[in-house]
PDB file of all heavy atoms in Angstrom:
ATOM      1  N   PHE A1333     -69.680 -84.008 183.175  1.00 92.00           N
ATOM      2  CA  PHE A1333     -70.523 -85.118 182.737  1.00 92.00           C
ATOM      3  C   PHE A1333     -69.647 -86.205 182.111  1.00 92.00           C
ATOM      4  O   PHE A1333     -69.739 -86.479 180.913  1.00 92.00           O
ATOM      5  CB  PHE A1333     -71.582 -84.615 181.740  1.00 92.00           C
ATOM      6  CG  PHE A1333     -72.410 -83.487 182.280  1.00 92.00           C
ATOM      7  CD1 PHE A1333     -72.137 -82.175 181.932  1.00 92.00           C
ATOM      8  CD2 PHE A1333     -73.447 -83.738 183.169  1.00 92.00           C
ATOM      9  CE1 PHE A1333     -72.885 -81.123 182.445  1.00 92.00           C
ATOM     10  CE2 PHE A1333     -74.206 -82.697 183.690  1.00 92.00           C
ATOM     11  CZ  PHE A1333     -73.923 -81.389 183.331  1.00 92.00           C
ATOM     12  N   PRO A1334     -68.783 -86.820 182.912  1.00 94.00           N
ATOM     13  CA  PRO A1334     -67.798 -87.757 182.357  1.00 94.00           C
ATOM     14  C   PRO A1334     -68.394 -89.012 181.720  1.00 94.00           C
ATOM     15  O   PRO A1334     -67.730 -89.667 180.920  1.00 94.00           O
ATOM     16  CB  PRO A1334     -66.927 -88.118 183.564  1.00 94.00           C
ATOM     17  CG  PRO A1334     -67.791 -87.838 184.754  1.00 94.00           C
ATOM     18  CD  PRO A1334     -68.676 -86.693 184.353  1.00 94.00           C
ATOM     19  N   ASP A1335     -69.640 -89.335 182.029  1.00 96.00           N
ATOM     20  CA  ASP A1335     -70.270 -90.517 181.435  1.00 96.00           C
ATOM     21  C   ASP A1335     -70.937 -90.225 180.094  1.00 96.00           C
ATOM     22  O   ASP A1335     -71.428 -91.148 179.433  1.00 96.00           O
ATOM     23  CB  ASP A1335     -71.307 -91.111 182.398  1.00 96.00           C
ATOM     24  CG  ASP A1335     -70.661 -91.633 183.673  1.00 96.00           C
ATOM     25  OD1 ASP A1335     -69.464 -91.996 183.631  1.00 96.00           O
ATOM     26  OD2 ASP A1335     -71.335 -91.661 184.710  1.00 96.00           O
ATOM     27  N   VAL A1336     -70.960 -88.965 179.679  1.00 95.00           N
ATOM     28  CA  VAL A1336     -71.588 -88.583 178.416  1.00 95.00           C
ATOM     29  C   VAL A1336     -70.528 -88.625 177.314  1.00 95.00           C
ATOM     30  O   VAL A1336     -69.482 -87.998 177.429  1.00 95.00           O
ATOM     31  CB  VAL A1336     -72.210 -87.168 178.516  1.00 95.00           C
ATOM     32  CG1 VAL A1336     -72.776 -86.731 177.180  1.00 95.00           C
ATOM     33  CG2 VAL A1336     -73.285 -87.159 179.601  1.00 95.00           C
ATOM     34  N   PRO A1337     -70.791 -89.368 176.242  1.00 97.00           N
ATOM     35  CA  PRO A1337     -69.777 -89.502 175.187  1.00 97.00           C
ATOM     36  C   PRO A1337     -69.623 -88.238 174.353  1.00 97.00           C
ATOM     37  O   PRO A1337     -70.501 -87.369 174.336  1.00 97.00           O
ATOM     38  CB  PRO A1337     -70.337 -90.636 174.320  1.00 97.00           C
ATOM     39  CG  PRO A1337     -71.810 -90.515 174.476  1.00 97.00           C
ATOM     40  CD  PRO A1337     -72.020 -90.095 175.923  1.00 97.00           C
ATOM     41  N   THR A1338     -68.517 -88.163 173.647  1.00 95.00           N
ATOM     42  CA  THR A1338     -68.355 -87.130 172.633  1.00 95.00           C
ATOM     43  C   THR A1338     -69.156 -87.578 171.407  1.00 95.00           C
ATOM     44  O   THR A1338     -69.523 -88.753 171.289  1.00 95.00           O
ATOM     45  CB  THR A1338     -66.888 -86.963 172.224  1.00 95.00           C
ATOM     46  OG1 THR A1338     -66.447 -88.166 171.583  1.00 95.00           O
ATOM     47  CG2 THR A1338     -66.005 -86.646 173.426  1.00 95.00           C
ATOM     48  N   LEU A1339     -69.422 -86.664 170.487  1.00 94.00           N
ATOM     49  CA  LEU A1339     -70.115 -87.055 169.258  1.00 94.00           C
ATOM     50  C   LEU A1339     -69.296 -88.089 168.488  1.00 94.00           C
ATOM     51  O   LEU A1339     -69.862 -89.013 167.905  1.00 94.00           O
ATOM     52  CB  LEU A1339     -70.388 -85.841 168.373  1.00 94.00           C
ATOM     53  CG  LEU A1339     -71.706 -85.127 168.617  1.00 94.00           C
ATOM     54  CD1 LEU A1339     -71.840 -83.923 167.699  1.00 94.00           C
ATOM     55  CD2 LEU A1339     -72.889 -86.040 168.445  1.00 94.00           C
ATOM     56  N   ALA A1340     -67.980 -87.942 168.496  1.00 93.00           N
ATOM     57  CA  ALA A1340     -67.130 -88.923 167.808  1.00 93.00           C
ATOM     58  C   ALA A1340     -67.324 -90.300 168.420  1.00 93.00           C
ATOM     59  O   ALA A1340     -67.464 -91.304 167.706  1.00 93.00           O
ATOM     60  CB  ALA A1340     -65.666 -88.494 167.868  1.00 93.00           C
ATOM     61  N   GLU A1341     -67.354 -90.378 169.739  1.00 95.00           N
ATOM     62  CA  GLU A1341     -67.578 -91.664 170.411  1.00 95.00           C
ATOM     63  C   GLU A1341     -68.973 -92.208 170.134  1.00 95.00           C
ATOM     64  O   GLU A1341     -69.182 -93.417 170.116  1.00 95.00           O
ATOM     65  CB  GLU A1341     -67.392 -91.516 171.927  1.00 95.00           C
ATOM     66  CG  GLU A1341     -65.975 -91.233 172.353  1.00 95.00           C
ATOM     67  CD  GLU A1341     -65.864 -90.880 173.827  1.00 95.00           C
ATOM     68  OE1 GLU A1341     -66.782 -90.255 174.393  1.00 95.00           O
ATOM     69  OE2 GLU A1341     -64.824 -91.227 174.413  1.00 95.00           O
ATOM     70  N   ALA A1342     -69.921 -91.289 169.911  1.00 94.00           N
ATOM     71  CA  ALA A1342     -71.307 -91.695 169.667  1.00 94.00           C
ATOM     72  C   ALA A1342     -71.565 -92.051 168.204  1.00 94.00           C
ATOM     73  O   ALA A1342     -72.687 -92.371 167.841  1.00 94.00           O
ATOM     74  CB  ALA A1342     -72.256 -90.586 170.113  1.00 94.00           C
ATOM     75  N   GLY A1343     -70.535 -91.992 167.374  1.00 94.00           N
ATOM     76  CA  GLY A1343     -70.683 -92.428 165.992  1.00 94.00           C
ATOM     77  C   GLY A1343     -70.650 -91.341 164.943  1.00 94.00           C
ATOM     78  O   GLY A1343     -70.975 -91.594 163.784  1.00 94.00           O
ATOM     79  N   VAL A1344     -70.261 -90.134 165.318  1.00 93.00           N
ATOM     80  CA  VAL A1344     -70.140 -89.048 164.343  1.00 93.00           C
ATOM     81  C   VAL A1344     -68.665 -88.628 164.313  1.00 93.00           C
ATOM     82  O   VAL A1344     -68.279 -87.636 164.933  1.00 93.00           O
ATOM     83  CB  VAL A1344     -71.047 -87.848 164.704  1.00 93.00           C
ATOM     84  CG1 VAL A1344     -70.996 -86.781 163.614  1.00 93.00           C
ATOM     85  CG2 VAL A1344     -72.479 -88.299 164.934  1.00 93.00           C
ATOM     86  N   PRO A1345     -67.839 -89.383 163.613  1.00 91.00           N
ATOM     87  CA  PRO A1345     -66.397 -89.087 163.616  1.00 91.00           C
ATOM     88  C   PRO A1345     -66.077 -87.773 162.907  1.00 91.00           C
ATOM     89  O   PRO A1345     -66.783 -87.356 161.983  1.00 91.00           O
ATOM     90  CB  PRO A1345     -65.790 -90.271 162.858  1.00 91.00           C
ATOM     91  CG  PRO A1345     -66.900 -90.789 162.004  1.00 91.00           C
ATOM     92  CD  PRO A1345     -68.164 -90.532 162.772  1.00 91.00           C
ATOM     93  N   GLY A1346     -65.040 -87.131 163.393  1.00 87.00           N
ATOM     94  CA  GLY A1346     -64.571 -85.912 162.753  1.00 87.00           C
ATOM     95  C   GLY A1346     -65.314 -84.645 163.139  1.00 87.00           C
ATOM     96  O   GLY A1346     -64.977 -83.568 162.670  1.00 87.00           O
ATOM     97  N   TYR A1347     -66.332 -84.770 163.983  1.00 86.00           N
ATOM     98  CA  TYR A1347     -67.082 -83.591 164.397  1.00 86.00           C
ATOM     99  C   TYR A1347     -66.552 -83.126 165.736  1.00 86.00           C
ATOM    100  O   TYR A1347     -66.593 -83.862 166.716  1.00 86.00           O
ATOM    101  CB  TYR A1347     -68.577 -83.905 164.513  1.00 86.00           C
ATOM    102  CG  TYR A1347     -69.425 -82.677 164.782  1.00 86.00           C
ATOM    103  CD1 TYR A1347     -70.122 -82.064 163.757  1.00 86.00           C
ATOM    104  CD2 TYR A1347     -69.509 -82.128 166.049  1.00 86.00           C
ATOM    105  CE1 TYR A1347     -70.897 -80.937 163.981  1.00 86.00           C
ATOM    106  CE2 TYR A1347     -70.272 -80.995 166.291  1.00 86.00           C
ATOM    107  CZ  TYR A1347     -70.963 -80.406 165.257  1.00 86.00           C
ATOM    108  OH  TYR A1347     -71.719 -79.292 165.486  1.00 86.00           O
ATOM    109  N   ALA A1348     -66.047 -81.917 165.778  1.00 86.00           N
ATOM    110  CA  ALA A1348     -65.596 -81.330 167.038  1.00 86.00           C
ATOM    111  C   ALA A1348     -65.848 -79.834 166.975  1.00 86.00           C
ATOM    112  O   ALA A1348     -65.404 -79.156 166.051  1.00 86.00           O
ATOM    113  CB  ALA A1348     -64.125 -81.611 167.280  1.00 86.00           C
ATOM    114  N   LEU A1349     -66.594 -79.348 167.929  1.00 88.00           N
ATOM    115  CA  LEU A1349     -66.918 -77.931 167.975  1.00 88.00           C
ATOM    116  C   LEU A1349     -67.072 -77.520 169.427  1.00 88.00           C
ATOM    117  O   LEU A1349     -67.725 -78.212 170.210  1.00 88.00           O
ATOM    118  CB  LEU A1349     -68.228 -77.656 167.220  1.00 88.00           C
ATOM    119  CG  LEU A1349     -68.664 -76.206 167.128  1.00 88.00           C
ATOM    120  CD1 LEU A1349     -67.675 -75.390 166.291  1.00 88.00           C
ATOM    121  CD2 LEU A1349     -70.050 -76.111 166.529  1.00 88.00           C
ATOM    122  N   SER A1350     -66.446 -76.425 169.774  1.00 86.00           N
ATOM    123  CA  SER A1350     -66.616 -75.909 171.129  1.00 86.00           C
ATOM    124  C   SER A1350     -66.810 -74.399 171.045  1.00 86.00           C
ATOM    125  O   SER A1350     -66.424 -73.759 170.075  1.00 86.00           O
ATOM    126  CB  SER A1350     -65.402 -76.242 172.002  1.00 86.00           C
ATOM    127  OG  SER A1350     -64.241 -75.620 171.498  1.00 86.00           O
ATOM    128  N   THR A1351     -67.417 -73.870 172.063  1.00 85.00           N
ATOM    129  CA  THR A1351     -67.574 -72.428 172.148  1.00 85.00           C
ATOM    130  C   THR A1351     -66.381 -71.865 172.898  1.00 85.00           C
ATOM    131  O   THR A1351     -65.709 -72.571 173.648  1.00 85.00           O
ATOM    132  CB  THR A1351     -68.871 -72.050 172.875  1.00 85.00           C
ATOM    133  OG1 THR A1351     -68.861 -72.627 174.173  1.00 85.00           O
ATOM    134  CG2 THR A1351     -70.088 -72.521 172.105  1.00 85.00           C
ATOM    135  N   TRP A1352     -66.132 -70.618 172.695  1.00 86.00           N
ATOM    136  CA  TRP A1352     -65.014 -69.979 173.377  1.00 86.00           C
ATOM    137  C   TRP A1352     -65.327 -68.500 173.557  1.00 86.00           C
ATOM    138  O   TRP A1352     -66.190 -67.943 172.882  1.00 86.00           O
ATOM    139  CB  TRP A1352     -63.701 -70.173 172.624  1.00 86.00           C
ATOM    140  CG  TRP A1352     -63.790 -69.922 171.145  1.00 86.00           C
ATOM    141  CD1 TRP A1352     -64.036 -70.847 170.165  1.00 86.00           C
ATOM    142  CD2 TRP A1352     -63.666 -68.667 170.471  1.00 86.00           C
ATOM    143  NE1 TRP A1352     -64.073 -70.243 168.939  1.00 86.00           N
ATOM    144  CE2 TRP A1352     -63.842 -68.894 169.091  1.00 86.00           C
ATOM    145  CE3 TRP A1352     -63.427 -67.363 170.891  1.00 86.00           C
ATOM    146  CZ2 TRP A1352     -63.775 -67.895 168.140  1.00 86.00           C
ATOM    147  CZ3 TRP A1352     -63.368 -66.348 169.939  1.00 86.00           C
ATOM    148  CH2 TRP A1352     -63.531 -66.631 168.575  1.00 86.00           C
ATOM    149  N   THR A1353     -64.627 -67.906 174.479  1.00 86.00           N
ATOM    150  CA  THR A1353     -64.751 -66.481 174.743  1.00 86.00           C
ATOM    151  C   THR A1353     -63.359 -65.892 174.679  1.00 86.00           C
ATOM    152  O   THR A1353     -62.417 -66.467 175.235  1.00 86.00           O
ATOM    153  CB  THR A1353     -65.358 -66.228 176.131  1.00 86.00           C
ATOM    154  OG1 THR A1353     -66.636 -66.875 176.188  1.00 86.00           O
ATOM    155  CG2 THR A1353     -65.520 -64.747 176.413  1.00 86.00           C
ATOM    156  N   ALA A1354     -63.218 -64.778 174.010  1.00 87.00           N
ATOM    157  CA  ALA A1354     -61.927 -64.106 173.915  1.00 87.00           C
ATOM    158  C   ALA A1354     -62.078 -62.663 174.365  1.00 87.00           C
ATOM    159  O   ALA A1354     -63.099 -62.027 174.112  1.00 87.00           O
ATOM    160  CB  ALA A1354     -61.406 -64.154 172.481  1.00 87.00           C
ATOM    161  N   MET A1355     -61.070 -62.191 175.016  1.00 88.00           N
ATOM    162  CA  MET A1355     -61.036 -60.781 175.398  1.00 88.00           C
ATOM    163  C   MET A1355     -60.266 -60.063 174.294  1.00 88.00           C
ATOM    164  O   MET A1355     -59.150 -60.443 173.963  1.00 88.00           O
ATOM    165  CB  MET A1355     -60.326 -60.615 176.739  1.00 88.00           C
ATOM    166  CG  MET A1355     -60.335 -59.237 177.273  1.00 88.00           C
ATOM    167  SD  MET A1355     -59.615 -59.253 178.925  1.00 88.00           S
ATOM    168  CE  MET A1355     -59.674 -57.545 179.315  1.00 88.00           C
ATOM    169  N   VAL A1356     -60.876 -59.047 173.704  1.00 89.00           N
ATOM    170  CA  VAL A1356     -60.246 -58.310 172.610  1.00 89.00           C
ATOM    171  C   VAL A1356     -60.249 -56.821 172.931  1.00 89.00           C
ATOM    172  O   VAL A1356     -61.003 -56.357 173.784  1.00 89.00           O
ATOM    173  CB  VAL A1356     -60.951 -58.572 171.259  1.00 89.00           C
ATOM    174  CG1 VAL A1356     -60.865 -60.041 170.871  1.00 89.00           C
ATOM    175  CG2 VAL A1356     -62.404 -58.132 171.309  1.00 89.00           C
ATOM    176  N   GLY A1357     -59.399 -56.114 172.238  1.00 91.00           N
ATOM    177  CA  GLY A1357     -59.318 -54.666 172.419  1.00 91.00           C
ATOM    178  C   GLY A1357     -59.328 -53.981 171.071  1.00 91.00           C
ATOM    179  O   GLY A1357     -59.318 -54.639 170.026  1.00 91.00           O
ATOM    180  N   PRO A1358     -59.310 -52.667 171.081  1.00 94.00           N
ATOM    181  CA  PRO A1358     -59.352 -51.930 169.815  1.00 94.00           C
ATOM    182  C   PRO A1358     -58.040 -52.065 169.035  1.00 94.00           C
ATOM    183  O   PRO A1358     -56.979 -52.316 169.619  1.00 94.00           O
ATOM    184  CB  PRO A1358     -59.578 -50.482 170.260  1.00 94.00           C
ATOM    185  CG  PRO A1358     -59.025 -50.420 171.640  1.00 94.00           C
ATOM    186  CD  PRO A1358     -59.265 -51.782 172.248  1.00 94.00           C
ATOM    187  N   LYS A1359     -58.154 -51.904 167.723  1.00 93.00           N
ATOM    188  CA  LYS A1359     -56.969 -51.897 166.877  1.00 93.00           C
ATOM    189  C   LYS A1359     -56.025 -50.816 167.386  1.00 93.00           C
ATOM    190  O   LYS A1359     -56.457 -49.724 167.766  1.00 93.00           O
ATOM    191  CB  LYS A1359     -57.383 -51.623 165.434  1.00 93.00           C
ATOM    192  CG  LYS A1359     -56.243 -51.642 164.466  1.00 93.00           C
ATOM    193  CD  LYS A1359     -56.729 -51.432 163.047  1.00 93.00           C
ATOM    194  CE  LYS A1359     -55.574 -51.495 162.074  1.00 93.00           C
ATOM    195  NZ  LYS A1359     -56.027 -51.375 160.685  1.00 93.00           N
ATOM    196  N   GLY A1360     -54.766 -51.129 167.430  1.00 95.00           N
ATOM    197  CA  GLY A1360     -53.778 -50.154 167.891  1.00 95.00           C
ATOM    198  C   GLY A1360     -53.581 -50.128 169.400  1.00 95.00           C
ATOM    199  O   GLY A1360     -52.866 -49.272 169.915  1.00 95.00           O
ATOM    200  N   LEU A1361     -54.201 -51.069 170.111  1.00 95.00           N
ATOM    201  CA  LEU A1361     -54.001 -51.139 171.562  1.00 95.00           C
ATOM    202  C   LEU A1361     -52.508 -51.323 171.833  1.00 95.00           C
ATOM    203  O   LEU A1361     -51.880 -52.217 171.258  1.00 95.00           O
ATOM    204  CB  LEU A1361     -54.790 -52.320 172.140  1.00 95.00           C
ATOM    205  CG  LEU A1361     -54.780 -52.475 173.649  1.00 95.00           C
ATOM    206  CD1 LEU A1361     -55.570 -51.345 174.314  1.00 95.00           C
ATOM    207  CD2 LEU A1361     -55.385 -53.819 174.045  1.00 95.00           C
ATOM    208  N   PRO A1362     -51.916 -50.495 172.670  1.00 96.00           N
ATOM    209  CA  PRO A1362     -50.478 -50.638 172.926  1.00 96.00           C
ATOM    210  C   PRO A1362     -50.146 -52.047 173.439  1.00 96.00           C
ATOM    211  O   PRO A1362     -50.868 -52.584 174.298  1.00 96.00           O
ATOM    212  CB  PRO A1362     -50.198 -49.576 173.992  1.00 96.00           C
ATOM    213  CG  PRO A1362     -51.289 -48.562 173.815  1.00 96.00           C
ATOM    214  CD  PRO A1362     -52.496 -49.355 173.385  1.00 96.00           C
ATOM    215  N   PRO A1363     -49.086 -52.645 172.905  1.00 93.00           N
ATOM    216  CA  PRO A1363     -48.722 -54.014 173.301  1.00 93.00           C
ATOM    217  C   PRO A1363     -48.554 -54.187 174.809  1.00 93.00           C
ATOM    218  O   PRO A1363     -48.917 -55.223 175.360  1.00 93.00           O
ATOM    219  CB  PRO A1363     -47.407 -54.267 172.567  1.00 93.00           C
ATOM    220  CG  PRO A1363     -47.393 -53.302 171.435  1.00 93.00           C
ATOM    221  CD  PRO A1363     -48.183 -52.117 171.887  1.00 93.00           C
ATOM    222  N   GLU A1364     -48.035 -53.177 175.483  1.00 95.00           N
ATOM    223  CA  GLU A1364     -47.834 -53.299 176.935  1.00 95.00           C
ATOM    224  C   GLU A1364     -49.173 -53.337 177.673  1.00 95.00           C
ATOM    225  O   GLU A1364     -49.302 -54.009 178.704  1.00 95.00           O
ATOM    226  CB  GLU A1364     -46.923 -52.194 177.480  1.00 95.00           C
ATOM    227  CG  GLU A1364     -47.447 -50.778 177.316  1.00 95.00           C
ATOM    228  CD  GLU A1364     -47.146 -50.132 175.964  1.00 95.00           C
ATOM    229  OE1 GLU A1364     -46.635 -50.794 175.049  1.00 95.00           O
ATOM    230  OE2 GLU A1364     -47.447 -48.940 175.834  1.00 95.00           O
ATOM    231  N   VAL A1365     -50.182 -52.658 177.143  1.00 96.00           N
ATOM    232  CA  VAL A1365     -51.515 -52.697 177.748  1.00 96.00           C
ATOM    233  C   VAL A1365     -52.136 -54.072 177.505  1.00 96.00           C
ATOM    234  O   VAL A1365     -52.704 -54.683 178.420  1.00 96.00           O
ATOM    235  CB  VAL A1365     -52.418 -51.568 177.187  1.00 96.00           C
ATOM    236  CG1 VAL A1365     -53.850 -51.715 177.683  1.00 96.00           C
ATOM    237  CG2 VAL A1365     -51.848 -50.205 177.567  1.00 96.00           C
ATOM    238  N   ALA A1366     -52.021 -54.576 176.290  1.00 94.00           N
ATOM    239  CA  ALA A1366     -52.543 -55.905 175.973  1.00 94.00           C
ATOM    240  C   ALA A1366     -51.875 -56.961 176.845  1.00 94.00           C
ATOM    241  O   ALA A1366     -52.540 -57.858 177.376  1.00 94.00           O
ATOM    242  CB  ALA A1366     -52.337 -56.216 174.494  1.00 94.00           C
ATOM    243  N   ALA A1367     -50.578 -56.860 177.019  1.00 94.00           N
ATOM    244  CA  ALA A1367     -49.843 -57.829 177.838  1.00 94.00           C
ATOM    245  C   ALA A1367     -50.284 -57.756 179.299  1.00 94.00           C
ATOM    246  O   ALA A1367     -50.452 -58.786 179.960  1.00 94.00           O
ATOM    247  CB  ALA A1367     -48.339 -57.594 177.712  1.00 94.00           C
ATOM    248  N   ALA A1368     -50.490 -56.541 179.803  1.00 96.00           N
ATOM    249  CA  ALA A1368     -50.934 -56.380 181.200  1.00 96.00           C
ATOM    250  C   ALA A1368     -52.338 -56.957 181.394  1.00 96.00           C
ATOM    251  O   ALA A1368     -52.607 -57.625 182.399  1.00 96.00           O
ATOM    252  CB  ALA A1368     -50.893 -54.908 181.595  1.00 96.00           C
ATOM    253  N   LEU A1369     -53.226 -56.715 180.437  1.00 95.00           N
ATOM    254  CA  LEU A1369     -54.579 -57.274 180.525  1.00 95.00           C
ATOM    255  C   LEU A1369     -54.541 -58.796 180.465  1.00 95.00           C
ATOM    256  O   LEU A1369     -55.232 -59.473 181.227  1.00 95.00           O
ATOM    257  CB  LEU A1369     -55.460 -56.712 179.406  1.00 95.00           C
ATOM    258  CG  LEU A1369     -55.858 -55.251 179.540  1.00 95.00           C
ATOM    259  CD1 LEU A1369     -56.494 -54.748 178.256  1.00 95.00           C
ATOM    260  CD2 LEU A1369     -56.784 -55.057 180.729  1.00 95.00           C
ATOM    261  N   ASN A1370     -53.729 -59.345 179.568  1.00 93.00           N
ATOM    262  CA  ASN A1370     -53.600 -60.795 179.457  1.00 93.00           C
ATOM    263  C   ASN A1370     -53.102 -61.395 180.768  1.00 93.00           C
ATOM    264  O   ASN A1370     -53.638 -62.404 181.242  1.00 93.00           O
ATOM    265  CB  ASN A1370     -52.662 -61.142 178.305  1.00 93.00           C
ATOM    266  CG  ASN A1370     -52.474 -62.634 178.148  1.00 93.00           C
ATOM    267  OD1 ASN A1370     -51.436 -63.170 178.520  1.00 93.00           O
ATOM    268  ND2 ASN A1370     -53.467 -63.295 177.599  1.00 93.00           N
ATOM    269  N   LYS A1371     -52.102 -60.771 181.354  1.00 94.00           N
ATOM    270  CA  LYS A1371     -51.549 -61.255 182.625  1.00 94.00           C
ATOM    271  C   LYS A1371     -52.613 -61.208 183.732  1.00 94.00           C
ATOM    272  O   LYS A1371     -52.760 -62.159 184.504  1.00 94.00           O
ATOM    273  CB  LYS A1371     -50.336 -60.409 183.020  1.00 94.00           C
ATOM    274  CG  LYS A1371     -49.657 -60.865 184.283  1.00 94.00           C
ATOM    275  CD  LYS A1371     -48.421 -60.018 184.572  1.00 94.00           C
ATOM    276  CE  LYS A1371     -47.769 -60.483 185.859  1.00 94.00           C
ATOM    277  NZ  LYS A1371     -46.579 -59.676 186.192  1.00 94.00           N
ATOM    278  N   ALA A1372     -53.378 -60.123 183.778  1.00 95.00           N
ATOM    279  CA  ALA A1372     -54.408 -59.978 184.812  1.00 95.00           C
ATOM    280  C   ALA A1372     -55.517 -61.011 184.634  1.00 95.00           C
ATOM    281  O   ALA A1372     -55.988 -61.606 185.623  1.00 95.00           O
ATOM    282  CB  ALA A1372     -54.981 -58.562 184.784  1.00 95.00           C
ATOM    283  N   VAL A1373     -55.945 -61.227 183.401  1.00 93.00           N
ATOM    284  CA  VAL A1373     -57.001 -62.216 183.155  1.00 93.00           C
ATOM    285  C   VAL A1373     -56.509 -63.616 183.512  1.00 93.00           C
ATOM    286  O   VAL A1373     -57.217 -64.395 184.164  1.00 93.00           O
ATOM    287  CB  VAL A1373     -57.492 -62.143 181.690  1.00 93.00           C
ATOM    288  CG1 VAL A1373     -58.383 -63.329 181.352  1.00 93.00           C
ATOM    289  CG2 VAL A1373     -58.232 -60.838 181.451  1.00 93.00           C
ATOM    290  N   ASN A1374     -55.295 -63.972 183.097  1.00 93.00           N
ATOM    291  CA  ASN A1374     -54.754 -65.291 183.442  1.00 93.00           C
ATOM    292  C   ASN A1374     -54.629 -65.460 184.950  1.00 93.00           C
ATOM    293  O   ASN A1374     -54.898 -66.546 185.478  1.00 93.00           O
ATOM    294  CB  ASN A1374     -53.407 -65.517 182.756  1.00 93.00           C
ATOM    295  CG  ASN A1374     -53.550 -65.895 181.303  1.00 93.00           C
ATOM    296  OD1 ASN A1374     -54.575 -66.402 180.881  1.00 93.00           O
ATOM    297  ND2 ASN A1374     -52.515 -65.639 180.525  1.00 93.00           N
ATOM    298  N   ALA A1375     -54.244 -64.392 185.647  1.00 94.00           N
ATOM    299  CA  ALA A1375     -54.141 -64.462 187.112  1.00 94.00           C
ATOM    300  C   ALA A1375     -55.519 -64.691 187.725  1.00 94.00           C
ATOM    301  O   ALA A1375     -55.682 -65.534 188.625  1.00 94.00           O
ATOM    302  CB  ALA A1375     -53.510 -63.188 187.666  1.00 94.00           C
ATOM    303  N   ALA A1376     -56.516 -63.962 187.243  1.00 94.00           N
ATOM    304  CA  ALA A1376     -57.872 -64.142 187.768  1.00 94.00           C
ATOM    305  C   ALA A1376     -58.364 -65.564 187.509  1.00 94.00           C
ATOM    306  O   ALA A1376     -58.975 -66.183 188.387  1.00 94.00           O
ATOM    307  CB  ALA A1376     -58.814 -63.121 187.137  1.00 94.00           C
ATOM    308  N   LEU A1377     -58.085 -66.085 186.312  1.00 92.00           N
ATOM    309  CA  LEU A1377     -58.544 -67.434 185.975  1.00 92.00           C
ATOM    310  C   LEU A1377     -57.752 -68.521 186.694  1.00 92.00           C
ATOM    311  O   LEU A1377     -58.099 -69.696 186.623  1.00 92.00           O
ATOM    312  CB  LEU A1377     -58.487 -67.646 184.458  1.00 92.00           C
ATOM    313  CG  LEU A1377     -59.516 -66.828 183.674  1.00 92.00           C
ATOM    314  CD1 LEU A1377     -59.265 -66.949 182.177  1.00 92.00           C
ATOM    315  CD2 LEU A1377     -60.933 -67.265 184.023  1.00 92.00           C
ATOM    316  N   SER A1378     -56.700 -68.139 187.404  1.00 93.00           N
ATOM    317  CA  SER A1378     -55.945 -69.079 188.222  1.00 93.00           C
ATOM    318  C   SER A1378     -56.509 -69.193 189.635  1.00 93.00           C
ATOM    319  O   SER A1378     -56.146 -70.103 190.376  1.00 93.00           O
ATOM    320  CB  SER A1378     -54.474 -68.653 188.301  1.00 93.00           C
ATOM    321  OG  SER A1378     -53.870 -68.728 187.035  1.00 93.00           O
ATOM    322  N   GLU A1379     -57.388 -68.263 190.002  1.00 94.00           N
ATOM    323  CA  GLU A1379     -57.976 -68.263 191.340  1.00 94.00           C
ATOM    324  C   GLU A1379     -58.906 -69.468 191.495  1.00 94.00           C
ATOM    325  O   GLU A1379     -59.839 -69.643 190.703  1.00 94.00           O
ATOM    326  CB  GLU A1379     -58.754 -66.976 191.588  1.00 94.00           C
ATOM    327  CG  GLU A1379     -57.898 -65.736 191.684  1.00 94.00           C
ATOM    328  CD  GLU A1379     -57.028 -65.729 192.929  1.00 94.00           C
ATOM    329  OE1 GLU A1379     -57.449 -66.267 193.974  1.00 94.00           O
ATOM    330  OE2 GLU A1379     -55.904 -65.199 192.840  1.00 94.00           O
TER     331      GLU A1379
END
């Protein structure tokens, strides 16, 4: 929607909020598993 302004452009300066999604795992997840999952997710999101 490139013609729709941001709130800052519409007269509400300093307001910026976005939603986000994060993939998380349990405490103690082995770093190599976390790294492999991160790599796989980034690869999928490159498709």
Side-chain angles (χ1 to χ4, degrees):
F1333 305 100
D1335 295 334
V1336 176
T1338 65
L1339 270 179
E1341 292 171 327
V1344 185
Y1347 187 100
L1349 183 66
S1350 63
T1351 58
W1352 46 267
T1353 302
M1355 185 174 178
V1356 298
K1359 182 177 182 177
L1361 185 69
E1364 62 275 7
V1365 173
L1369 289 169
N1370 179 256
K1371 183 177 179 181
V1373 169
N1374 281 337
L1377 291 172
S1378 295
E1379 292 292 327

